[in-house]
């Protein structure tokens, strides 16, 4: 039985702890904060996420807290018209084997945390920020901010966008600032007029901005998020924003959007960041996972899904191989799929969500011309994954990534 250290107690870190412990290893999770908790509001979970959650033994608990939406709707924020809608019940569930659902982030996090706390081979430690690592032929040491040292047979860096493990392993500096600022709020559903309620994930695309809303908390709340491509150059994380500022910034939005924004409260803002895909996630007995390995913008709604896939596949590999060999196989299996998700998320934010004028009309014609079956085909490489390693590099995901790179170049 190996002892595996996991740096970071977020969704990816806890999922990794469960996947590895279920394969017969002891795991210690080192969380930098003073408690295990998850920040943020709504999150979308596609069928590939639920396939991973089922492997982790928490799918039922997450589904109990989730809202099963009926469709993903794309609206033109200028004309107010629906451009396209992809139903995610019936035929979609039959094709992909699991639901598409939305939850509050804590409704995903809490079941993972509860099962970790109940697992005899998972140890959870708070106030333990990992700032680096050392390794030799026999193992690895996680070095903590206070000088403490935690020794194990392997280290998984699941410590997020600004991962200290990545800083040592890759050394690629600060994350890439996208220039997009997002404002988020959660509205009690009882305050939302019936005409503005929907069981869909609805996205309104405007010129250099977009607005997303969907129900969470079992339908008791409405998650709202509005994003502007405003050229922001400094990263911002969860900074409170005055209600009047949000309304003023989107004064030209359609009436239905303004009506929902007016109901917002306790607004907070983030400047979205990601990183370029890299090939190297491993250093001997050390490996990166989730946002530490492949942070992505939210526009494909796959960040948490990819971290859950990572965790399950890493657990499978560690069941059979010693850490360095398992980690090498993990990187080889996962890097193409996750790179494609990173690049497609970027492209969606510019080419689908934010164009104006003729570019927006061309987008509408393209999306509106696809049948339901064609829409399912477009997302199949992401939503329909039945394995998380080996062949999941696809040809579809590679084609998508190369198209994005070509467009960017």
């Amino acid at each position: 039985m190996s002892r595996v250290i996991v740096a970071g107690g977020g969704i990816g870190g806890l999922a990794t702890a469960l996947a590895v412990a279920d394969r017969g290893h002891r795991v210690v999770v080192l969380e930098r904060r003073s408690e295990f908790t998850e920040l943020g509001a709504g999150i979308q979970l596609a069928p590939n996420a639920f396939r991973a959650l089922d492997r982790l033994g928490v799918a039922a608990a997450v589904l109990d807290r989730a809202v099963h939406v009926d469709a993903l709707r794309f609206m033109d924020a200028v004309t107010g018209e629906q451009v396209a809608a992809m139903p995610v019940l019936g035929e979609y569930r039959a094709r992909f084997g699991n639901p598409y659902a939305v939850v509050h982030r804590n409704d995903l996090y809490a079941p993972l945390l509860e099962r970790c706390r109940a697992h005899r081979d998972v140890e959870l430690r708070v106030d333990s920020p990992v700032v680096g690592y050392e390794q030799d032929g026999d193992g690895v040491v996680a070095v903590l901010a206070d000088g403490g040292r935690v020794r194990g047979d392997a280290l998984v860096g699941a410590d997020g966008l600004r991962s200290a493990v990545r800083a040592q392993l890759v050394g690629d500096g600060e994350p890439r600032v996208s220039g997009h600022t997002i404002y988020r709020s959660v509205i009690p559903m009882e305050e939302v007029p019936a005409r503005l309620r929907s069981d869909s994930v609805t996205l309104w695309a405007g010129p250099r901005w977009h607005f997303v809303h969907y129900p969470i908390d079992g339908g008791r709340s409405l998650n709202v998020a509005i994003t502007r491509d405003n050229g922001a150059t400094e990263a911002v994380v969860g900074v409170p924003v005055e209600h009047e500022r949000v309304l003023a910034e989107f004064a030209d939005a359609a009436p239905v959007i303004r009506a929902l924004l007016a109901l917002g409260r306790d607004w907070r803002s983030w400047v979205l960041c990601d990183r370029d895909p890299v090939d190297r996630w491993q250093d001997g007995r050390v490996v990166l996972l989730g946002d530490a390995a492949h942070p992505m913008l939210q526009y494909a709604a796959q960040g948490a899904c990819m971290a859950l896939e990572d965790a399950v596949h890493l657990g499978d590999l560690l069941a059979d191989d010693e850490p360095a060999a398992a980690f090498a196989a993990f990187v080889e299996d996962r890097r193409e799929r996750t790179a494609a998700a990173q690049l497609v998320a970027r492209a969606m934010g510019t080419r689908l969500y934010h164009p104006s004028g003729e570019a927006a009309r061309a987008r509408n014609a393209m999306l509106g011309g696809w049948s339901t079956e064609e829409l399912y085909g477009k997302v199949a490489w992401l939503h329909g994954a039945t394995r998380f390693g080996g062949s999941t590099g696809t040809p579809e995901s590679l084609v998508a990534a190369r198209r994005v790179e070509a467009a960017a170049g």
Side-chain angles (χ1 to χ4, degrees):
M1 177 185 287
S2 298
R3 187 181 196 224
V4 178
I5 304 164
V6 177
I11 290 168
L14 295 187
T16 301
L18 291 175
V20 171
D22 283 347
R23 289 298 191 166
H25 303 286
R26 291 176 292 115
V27 182
V28 55
V29 180
L30 304 176
E31 167 56 35
R32 63 180 177 81
R33 292 174 292 189
S34 59
E35 62 179 327
F36 281 88
T37 187
E38 182 68 11
L39 302 177
I43 187 170
Q44 301 178 49
L45 297 174
N48 55 317
F50 283 107
R51 189 165 288 110
L53 291 170
D54 186 58
R55 291 282 309 279
L56 296 170
V58 298
V62 175
L63 283 169
D64 283 346
R65 303 163 185 240
V67 175
H68 296 246
V69 294
D70 56 20
L72 309 182
R73 302 188 185 279
F74 193 101
M75 311 291 291
D76 188 314
V78 175
T79 67
E81 297 176 350
Q82 178 173 290
V83 175
M86 185 173 75
V88 291
L89 299 175
E91 182 183 344
Y92 175 92
R93 288 195 60 170
R95 174 165 180 166
F96 297 126
N98 275 293
Y100 196 105
V102 291
V103 296
H104 192 287
R105 291 189 74 91
N106 194 58
D107 289 335
L108 169 60
Y109 187 78
L112 293 169
L113 181 60
E114 289 165 10
R115 185 157 184 260
C116 280
R117 284 176 168 159
H119 204 299
R120 67 180 184 180
D121 291 323
V122 176
E123 177 187 354
L124 302 174
R125 298 188 190 179
V126 296
D127 296 319
S128 301
V130 174
V131 296
Y133 63 86
E134 301 169 2
Q135 61 180 320
D136 53 35
D138 296 322
V140 62
V141 172
V143 180
L144 306 184
D146 64 2
R149 300 165 65 83
V150 180
R151 187 170 183 87
D153 297 288
L155 170 65
V156 179
D159 46 343
L161 177 69
R162 291 175 174 79
S163 165
V165 180
R166 181 183 178 117
Q168 181 173 341
L169 198 159
V170 181
D172 55 350
E174 289 296 307
R176 167 188 169 271
V177 179
S178 70
H180 298 182
T181 299
I182 185 169
Y183 306 95
R184 293 191 177 106
S185 180
V186 175
I187 305 167
M189 194 65 78
E190 62 189 20
E191 298 180 10
V192 180
R195 65 183 177 83
L196 300 179
R197 299 182 189 183
S198 168
D199 286 334
S200 302
V201 174
T202 303
L203 184 144
W204 300 78
R208 300 181 69 87
W209 63 271
H210 72 278
F211 176 53
V212 181
H213 56 89
Y214 51 83
I216 57 172
D217 295 332
R220 295 182 297 274
S221 303
L222 184 70
N223 182 76
V224 295
I226 192 159
T227 303
R228 183 176 290 282
D229 180 357
N230 59 0
T233 58
E234 294 185 13
V236 169
V237 180
V239 174
V241 179
E242 292 294 329
H243 181 66
E244 292 74 16
R245 175 182 162 188
V246 177
L247 291 180
E249 188 159 343
F250 298 95
D252 58 347
V256 64
I257 299 173
R258 293 276 300 168
L260 288 172
L261 293 179
L263 298 172
R265 57 178 64 181
D266 300 324
W267 290 95
R268 290 183 177 271
S269 67
W270 285 256
V271 172
L272 302 180
C273 301
D274 67 354
R275 292 183 184 273
D276 292 330
V278 293
D279 289 336
R280 183 170 178 257
W281 305 353
Q282 181 205 13
D283 177 14
R285 294 172 177 265
V286 181
V287 75
L288 304 175
L289 179 145
D291 282 351
H294 45 73
M296 59 191 70
L297 301 179
Q298 294 133 293
Y299 302 146
Q302 280 287 315
C305 300
M306 289 294 113
L308 294 169
E309 287 188 11
D310 282 352
V312 168
H313 191 56
L314 186 63
D316 288 345
L317 291 170
L318 278 173
D320 300 322
D321 290 329
E322 60 88 23
F327 290 169
F330 170 75
V331 175
E332 182 66 24
D333 286 349
R334 294 291 298 161
R335 64 186 171 197
E336 290 178 344
R337 176 170 171 80
T338 56
Q342 287 176 281
L343 294 171
V344 166
R346 282 186 188 176
M348 291 175 73
T350 55
R351 296 167 61 191
L352 292 184
Y353 295 169
H354 293 164
S356 59
E358 185 56 39
R361 288 188 286 274
R363 171 206 64 201
N364 291 356
M366 177 185 69
L367 295 180
W370 288 338
S371 67
T372 296
E373 184 61 30
E374 287 172 320
L375 289 169
Y376 292 163
K378 299 295 182 182
V379 301
W381 70 277
L382 279 173
H383 297 190
T386 58
R387 299 177 58 215
F388 302 141
S391 64
T392 63
T394 151
E396 290 88 349
S397 67
L398 290 175
V399 168
R402 286 167 183 160
R403 283 178 178 168
V404 173
E405 289 178 310

